[in-house]
Amino acid sequence: MFEVSDGGQIMAWERAAFPLRADNTGSATQVPKPTIYGEELDGDSFTSDDDGTNSKSLVRDFGNERNPFGVHQDGSDVSITFDESYANSGSTLDGQQRVEFVAARIKTNDGNGVPTTSSEALDLFSSVQTANDEASFEMILDSDDDNIKSLDSTGAKTVQSSFSEGHYVIMAAVHAKDENGLEVGEDGREADDISVDGDVTIIGVDMVTVQKDSATVTKPSDTRVGANLTFDVDTTNAFDSSKDGQITHAVALYKKSTFENARFDTVVDKSALGTGFTESEDMQLEHSIKDLNGVARVEDGTTLNQQSLSDGKISRPVSAASAIDFFADDVGANDPNTHAITNGGASNEEYETIDASVTAVNGESRSVSLNVDTLDDFSAGTYQYVVVSKVDNNDSQMSTTTGTITLSQPEAGISPSTEKLDFGAASATTDGSNTVTKSVTIESVGSSSLKLGTIEVVGADSDQFEITKSASGSIEPGDTRTIEVEFAPTERGKQTAGLSIQSTDADRSPLNISLTGTGEASQLSVQSTTPVELSANPDGTDSGTIRIKNTGNADLTTSASGLASPFSITSGSIPDLAPGETADITIEYAPSEIGTDSASLTLSTNNPFGSSRSVRVAGTATGPKVSLSVASGDTVTFGDVAVQQTATRSVVVSNDGTESLSINSISASGDFSVVSNVPDSLAPDASTVVDIEAKPTSAGTQTGTLSVDTSATQSAVTRDLSVTGKEAQISLSTANIDFEEVPAGASDVEPLTISNDATGSTATDLTVDVGSFSDSSPFSVQQSGESLTIEPGESETINVVYAPTSETSSSSSFDLSTNDYDDQTEPVGVSGTGVAPAFVVTDASPISFGPIAQSDTQTKTLTLENKGSATLTNFRVAGVGSDYSVQECQRR
C-alpha cells in the first residue's frame, strides 16, 4: 500500500493499475492494442536496459477477445470488471466486502488534462478539494447491503453503467467497517462532489472515454505507397453547427502489424509509490518501437488531452488519443523517462521502426479533408488509421473512428497533378473555333521508370476534346510530363469525356482523367401555339401574342422580320433574354379589305446551330365594312360659296362587307350639315347617298369633318370638308328718292345706282333681285323683277318712275334682295306730290324738219298750254343740240 493523500486518509494498492478494466470489445471505436506490461523496477535505478521485472499484462481478454483501446457511445452500457487475479498470483481479496465503484468525469474544459497513466489517475485524490476541482463524481456501485458491495469468492466483481460524453477515471475502493468510505453529494456538498468518511483504499483504477457520436470517414482513393492520402472527415452528427471553426481534427496512420506486435513496458519504482511519486523520476516507459518513419504534420496550437501533440511526451497508449499522441511526439523525450528495447516486437534482437504519419489541424469546421503523407520507403501492407476530432478548448467533446487501408507498392507508378480537368463554359460554334486549353502533369512515382502507352480522348463526347500536346516514351522516377487538352465545343450543354493514359503502372493503367466542359449557346423556343391566327372586321384590329423562351445556356438575341401590312409588331423591339427568361411579341392584324391574309414572321437569333425560326401568321377579315365614295385622305370640296349662301355635295356610304352594317350616326361639323335622311343600317353590298350642305358663316376657307360612325370600326370614319366663303358689298347712290312735285297726269323718272364695293380675294359678284310696287302705286321700277349681277368694283343703274294721277302726296318703298350677308334686303324709299298740270304739250309728237340744205334754216312751232290751277312761273325754254335753237316764245 502507499499513501495517495497527504493526510493518509486515502491509500492505494500498489497493484491498483492491474485488476480493474472497462470492457471495450463492444465500444463504438476500437483500436487493437500492442502488448502492454506493467512491471516493477529491478534494481535501485533506471538504466538503458530492460529494467522491469514481475511483469503483469495490462491488456485483458473479454469473452476470448483481446480488449482494444475503446471509445464508447454516449448513453451505451459499459461493463466494468474488477478481477484480483490480474494483480496477484494468490488470492488476498476473495470475498472482500465494502467495495465501492466510483466514476470521476474529468473537467477538461477547465484546462485539466486527461490522465493517461494509473499514477496520473491516482493523483486526482491528492486531496478531496483537488478531486472536486478537477472532476465531477457519481457512484457506480453504492449500497448498504454488504453482499451487493462484496467481491465474489474469486475476488471479482462486474458492474454496468452508462455514461454521457466525456473522459472518466473509474476507481474501485474499499473502506473500513462502520465507515461510509467514498460518498457523493453528502455532508452538504454539491450533488457531484465527493467526500471521504473514514479510511479508504483504492484497489483498482482504469479510464473510460465516451463520445456523442462517431465520425464518418471517406477513405482515400489513391492508396499507393508514397502517395498523399486524403481522408474526408465528417463530424456533423457529433457537434452542432455552432462549433464550426472550433474543431481539432487528427488522423494517425501506422503499419498495423508493426504496432500490434510491439511491446510497451511501464516500469514503476515500487519504493517511490506515494504522495511524492513523480513520473519523470519514478517511472520509465520502455518500448520496442525505437524509430518512426513518416511525416508528422501538426498545426501549431493543436492539443489533445490539454497537451500539445508536439511536446515530445510519449504516453502509455490507453486511449485512441494516445495512439495519435505517440506518433506525433518526438522519440527520446524525458517526460516520463523512455527508451527503446529490443525485447518484444517482431524480433527480440533488433529495434523496431514503424511506418507511420500523423496530421492534425485546429480551428476547423465539422467537416474537413485531411492529407496524410506516406513516404516512398513505406512498406506495403495493411495500415490502421485512427481519427480523433474534438472541440478545440474542450477535450470532453470528441468524436472518433478507425479503420484500415492497404498500401500497395507497384514497380512503376503514375500520379497525375489532377484527376479532373474542368474547362468551364465556352461559347459553342459550328466549327469548334472557340477553344479552351487545360493541362495535366503526370509524374513517375514508382520505384522504376514509367513507360507511357496510348494516350487518347475517350467517352461519349470525345469529339469535343482534342489532345494538342501529348507525351510518350519512359519517365524516370520523379520526372514529369505535361499533356495539353483543348475543349472546342460544337454542341450546347455539358460535355464529358476522359483522357485515357496507358502506362506500365499495373494498378492504374489506363489512368482516366475526367474531362468536363460546357458548350454555351442560346436556344429559341416558341412557347405559344403556332400558327398565330387572328380575325377582325375591316378597319378593325385583332392582336395575338407569341411567347418566346431562351432554353439555351447563353444570352439570346432575337430580331423579327417578314411582317407587312395588315400585320405589324406593336410590342417594340425584342429584349435580350438570359437563359430561362421569356418575352412576349404582340402581333396586330388591321385588315382593310374583306378576305384572308397570311405572312411569315422570321425570328433571327444568335444561335449558331439554328439562327432563325419562322412562325406563320394568318388573318381573316369578316363582318361589315364601311366605304365612302370619297377616298381616304381626300377632301369633299364645295368651292366658292357666298357667305350665308348654301351649296350641296353628295357622298355615297357603302357596306362592302359580309354582314349588316349598323349606322350609328352620320354628322358634319363646322359650317356643314347633313341634310338627307340616313338609314339605320345597310345590308351587304348596299349603299346610301348622304347630302351635305355647306353654308359659310364668314369669308375665307371654312373646314369641317364628315363623321360616319358605324359598327364596322371602333372609331368613326371621317373625311375632311372644305368651302370658301365669298362676300359681296352693296351700296346705293341714295336710299330715298324724292320726286317732289309732279303734275298729276304727268310722270318723272329718277335713276338709282347700285354698286358692288367688295374687294380682295374673298370678293364675289353681287346679285340683286329688283323688287316692285303694287299695281295701284304711282311709283314703279322700270327693271322690276329683274336679277342683276354686278362684279366687284362695278355698278348698275335702274330707273324709278313717279306718275301721280291726282293732286296728292305719296310715299312708298321697294326692296333689293342681295347676296350681301350684311344687307340681304336693302329697302329703297320713294316719295312725291301730285299737283295740277303745269303745262301740256298740245302735240307731243316729235318735231320733224325734213331735209334742209346746208346753211338753210327751217322753223317749226310747238304750242304749250297751261291747264293747271296755278300760275306757271319761272318757265324757260332751252334749246337742245348745237344745230337747234328756240327763236321765239310768244304768249297767246
Side-chain angles (χ1 to χ4, degrees):
M1 301 291 177
F2 61 90
E3 182 180 326
V4 174
S5 63
D6 291 337
Q9 191 176 9
I10 302 176
M11 302 293 289
W13 188 22
E14 62 186 19
R15 292 182 173 270
F18 301 102
L20 186 66
R21 287 292 179 269
D23 183 356
N24 295 330
T25 58
S27 60
T29 301
Q30 300 179 34
V31 178
K33 292 179 180 178
T35 300
I36 305 173
Y37 287 102
E39 296 182 336
E40 297 176 5
L41 176 62
D42 184 15
D44 296 331
S45 61
F46 293 105
T47 69
S48 60
D49 296 327
D50 186 356
D51 296 327
T53 187
N54 199 13
S55 298
K56 296 294 291 185
S57 176
L58 297 180
V59 181
R60 185 176 303 183
D61 291 343
F62 286 95
N64 297 321
E65 185 177 347
R66 186 176 173 85
N67 200 31
F69 299 132
V71 177
H72 296 266
Q73 205 76 354
D74 186 357
S76 63
D77 288 335
V78 180
S79 179
I80 302 169
T81 299
F82 179 89
D83 190 341
E84 167 192 33
S85 65
Y86 284 89
N88 286 316
S89 56
S91 297
T92 60
L93 295 176
D94 298 350
Q96 173 67 49
Q97 296 181 340
R98 299 177 298 282
V99 178
E100 299 173 305
F101 286 77
V102 180
R105 186 178 186 274
I106 305 302
K107 298 178 180 178
T108 57
N109 56 337
D110 292 336
N112 302 313
V114 178
T116 56
T117 66
S118 57
S119 62
E120 287 180 355
L122 291 173
D123 285 344
L124 187 65
F125 286 95
S126 60
S127 72
V128 173
Q129 183 63 45
T130 298
N132 288 325
D133 287 344
E134 296 184 4
S136 57
F137 292 84
E138 60 180 292
M139 300 298 295
I140 300 175
L141 177 62
D142 181 27
S143 175
D144 294 333
D145 187 339
D146 287 343
N147 291 325
I148 295 178
K149 295 173 61 175
S150 300
L151 302 180
D152 65 16
S153 59
T154 64
K157 182 72 175 181
T158 298
V159 296
Q160 280 192 334
S161 184
S162 61
F163 301 94
S164 60
E165 184 180 25
H167 296 276
Y168 294 83
V169 174
I170 310 298
M171 291 169 291
V174 298
H175 59 84
K177 187 177 181 181
D178 299 328
E179 295 175 348
N180 293 325
L182 297 177
E183 296 180 305
V184 176
E186 299 294 337
D187 296 335
R189 294 180 180 273
E190 297 291 336
D192 55 3
D193 279 357
I194 195 167
S195 59
V196 182
D197 180 35
D199 295 330
V200 174
T201 300
I202 298 174
I203 59 174
V205 62
D206 198 15
M207 275 68 76
V208 172
T209 299
V210 180
Q211 65 184 4
K212 180 180 179 181
D213 208 340
S214 300
T216 300
V217 171
T218 301
K219 298 179 183 181
S221 58
D222 183 3
T223 56
R224 293 173 302 109
V225 170
N228 184 290
L229 310 184
T230 300
F231 292 84
D232 293 324
V233 180
D234 184 0
T235 62
T236 53
N237 289 333
F239 309 118
D240 61 47
S241 59
S242 65
K243 297 300 188 291
D244 278 333
Q246 307 174 40
I247 305 298
T248 293
H249 298 279
V251 178
L253 179 75
Y254 57 88
K255 186 68 176 292
K256 182 177 175 65
S257 60
T258 303
F259 181 73
E260 294 177 10
N261 291 328
R263 172 170 173 166
F264 293 83
D265 294 344
T266 301
V267 183
V268 176
D269 183 356
K270 181 180 177 181
S271 64
L273 290 175
T275 56
F277 182 89
T278 60
E279 293 178 344
S280 61
E281 296 180 2
D282 303 320
M283 185 176 115
Q284 181 166 278
L285 177 64
E286 300 174 342
H287 47 88
S288 63
I289 296 177
K290 180 180 180 182
D291 296 314
L292 184 149
N293 178 44
V295 178
R297 186 185 294 180
V298 181
E299 197 171 87
D300 288 344
T302 303
T303 64
L304 284 178
N305 299 342
Q306 298 295 324
Q307 298 171 2
S308 172
L309 289 187
S310 58
D311 65 359
K313 181 176 180 181
I314 299 178
S315 304
R316 179 176 67 85
V318 295
S319 67
S322 297
I324 293 176
D325 198 6
F326 174 78
F327 294 121
D329 291 341
D330 298 326
V331 175
N334 57 8
D335 185 14
N337 290 315
T338 64
H339 75 85
I341 57 175
T342 59
N343 183 27
S347 169
N348 287 331
E349 298 178 356
E350 298 179 358
Y351 296 114
E352 291 290 321
T353 297
I354 188 169
D355 293 334
S357 291
V358 65
T359 295
V361 297
N362 59 76
E364 296 290 338
S365 297
R366 295 173 295 166
S367 297
V368 70
S369 293
L370 297 178
N371 294 322
V372 179
D373 298 299
T374 65
L375 301 180
D376 292 340
D377 59 357
F378 270 26
S379 61
T382 302
Y383 281 72
Q384 186 91 29
Y385 65 85
V386 180
V387 176
V388 177
S389 301
K390 74 173 191 73
V391 177
D392 289 342
N393 61 355
N394 189 349
D395 285 316
S396 293
Q397 292 182 269
M398 66 184 305
S399 178
T400 66
T401 194
T402 188
T404 61
I405 61 172
T406 300
L407 296 186
S408 60
Q409 179 67 69
E411 291 185 0
I414 186 171
S415 177
S417 59
T418 180
E419 295 191 13
K420 179 179 181 180
L421 290 179
D422 187 353
F423 292 81
S427 296
T429 60
T430 55
D431 58 0
S433 58
N434 189 39
T435 62
V436 178
T437 301
K438 297 282 187 179
S439 65
V440 59
T441 299
I442 55 175
E443 181 181 3
S444 174
V445 295
S447 57
S448 61
S449 62
L450 176 72
K451 186 176 181 180
L452 298 177
T454 301
I455 301 177
E456 59 183 340
V457 177
V458 297
D461 302 317
S462 59
D463 60 331
Q464 303 294 293
F465 302 87
E466 181 181 359
I467 299 172
T468 56
K469 179 182 178 183
S470 191
S472 60
S474 297
I475 308 175
E476 295 303 315
D479 287 348
T480 61
R481 295 288 189 276
T482 298
I483 300 172
E484 293 183 355
V485 180
E486 183 180 82
F487 175 48
T490 58
E491 298 177 6
R492 179 178 48 254
K494 186 175 182 180
Q495 313 297 319
T496 60
L499 176 63
S500 176
I501 304 174
Q502 301 277 355
S503 71
T504 53
D505 185 335
D507 293 331
R508 304 194 76 189
S509 182
L511 171 66
N512 189 71
I513 307 297
S514 171
L515 306 177
T516 60
T518 301
E520 287 192 337
S522 61
Q523 175 66 45
L524 173 67
S525 172
V526 178
Q527 306 281 294
S528 307
T529 301
T530 55
V532 179
E533 296 183 346
L534 305 172
S535 63
N537 294 333
D539 298 322
T541 62
D542 188 18
S543 62
T545 298
I546 298 175
R547 175 162 291 181
I548 62 172
K549 182 177 183 180
N550 182 3
T551 56
N553 55 5
D555 287 350
L556 173 69
T557 299
T558 308
S559 61
S561 61
L563 290 187
S565 179
F567 300 100
S568 63
I569 294 176
T570 60
S571 53
S573 60
I574 303 172
D576 291 346
L577 300 179
E581 289 186 339
T582 62
D584 289 338
I585 303 172
T586 302
I587 298 176
E588 185 177 84
Y589 176 49
S592 59
E593 301 289 341
I594 295 293
T596 59
D597 299 282
S598 64
S600 181
L601 173 65
T602 300
L603 300 175
S604 301
T605 73
N606 60 344
N607 179 5
F609 306 111
S611 59
S612 64
R613 172 78 182 272
S614 294
V615 179
R616 181 175 173 271
V617 181
T620 302
T622 60
K625 179 187 177 184
V626 62
S627 66
L628 275 64
S629 57
V630 178
S632 176
D634 288 350
T635 300
V636 181
T637 304
F638 289 78
D640 295 340
V641 179
V643 175
Q644 295 298 332
Q645 300 302 306
T646 62
T648 302
R649 297 287 186 272
S650 296
V651 175
V652 179
V653 177
S654 302
N655 178 9
D656 296 337
T658 59
E659 299 175 4
S660 177
L661 174 70
S662 295
I663 299 177
N664 301 324
S665 66
I666 300 178
S667 61
S669 65
D671 290 346
F672 306 89
S673 60
V674 175
V675 295
S676 60
N677 293 326
V678 177
D680 293 333
S681 62
L682 290 176
D685 298 325
S687 61
T688 185
V689 176
V690 179
D691 293 329
I692 306 153
E693 184 179 83
K695 186 177 182 181
T697 57
S698 60
T701 301
Q702 310 299 320
T703 60
T705 302
L706 174 65
S707 297
V708 181
D709 184 8
T710 70
S711 59
T713 58
Q714 294 180 356
S715 57
V717 176
T718 62
R719 295 292 186 270
D720 291 336
L721 305 175
S722 177
V723 65
T724 301
K726 295 288 187 176
E727 63 179 349
Q729 185 174 347
I730 188 172
S731 66
L732 302 177
S733 57
T734 180
N736 293 283
I737 302 174
D738 187 0
F739 286 88
E740 298 180 350
E741 292 180 345
V742 176
S747 64
D748 193 8
V749 177
E750 290 290 340
L752 176 65
T753 300
I754 305 171
S755 300
N756 183 0
D757 293 341
T759 61
S761 61
T762 60
T764 189
D765 292 348
L766 174 67
T767 60
V768 181
D769 292 334
V770 182
S772 62
F773 298 96
S774 65
D775 292 340
S776 60
S777 174
F779 302 99
S780 64
V781 182
Q782 290 180 351
Q783 291 83 7
S784 175
E786 293 184 10
S787 292
L788 306 178
T789 299
I790 305 172
E791 294 180 355
E794 301 296 328
S795 62
E796 291 283 346
T797 300
I798 62 174
N799 296 316
V800 182
V801 178
Y802 178 43
T805 59
S806 63
E807 299 175 15
T808 184
S809 295
S810 301
S811 65
S812 186
S813 67
F814 70 95
D815 292 334
L816 298 176
S817 298
T818 76
N819 62 346
D820 182 346
Y821 65 90
D822 290 329
D823 293 300
Q824 296 183 23
T825 300
E826 186 73 24
V828 180
V830 294
S831 62
T833 302
V835 296
F839 60 86
V840 175
V841 179
T842 302
D843 184 1
S845 298
I847 300 174
S848 175
F849 288 88
I852 300 175
Q854 187 173 1
S855 301
D856 286 346
T857 61
Q858 187 176 352
T859 302
K860 291 287 186 178
T861 300
L862 176 63
T863 302
L864 302 176
E865 181 180 2
N866 180 4
K867 292 184 176 183
S869 58
T871 300
L872 182 63
T873 61
N874 298 322
F875 179 77
R876 180 174 60 89
V877 178
V880 293
S882 58
D883 293 327
Y884 300 91
S885 62
V886 177
Q887 296 292 323
E888 182 179 0
C889 182
Q890 297 179 350
R891 186 188 301 271
R892 287 176 59 186

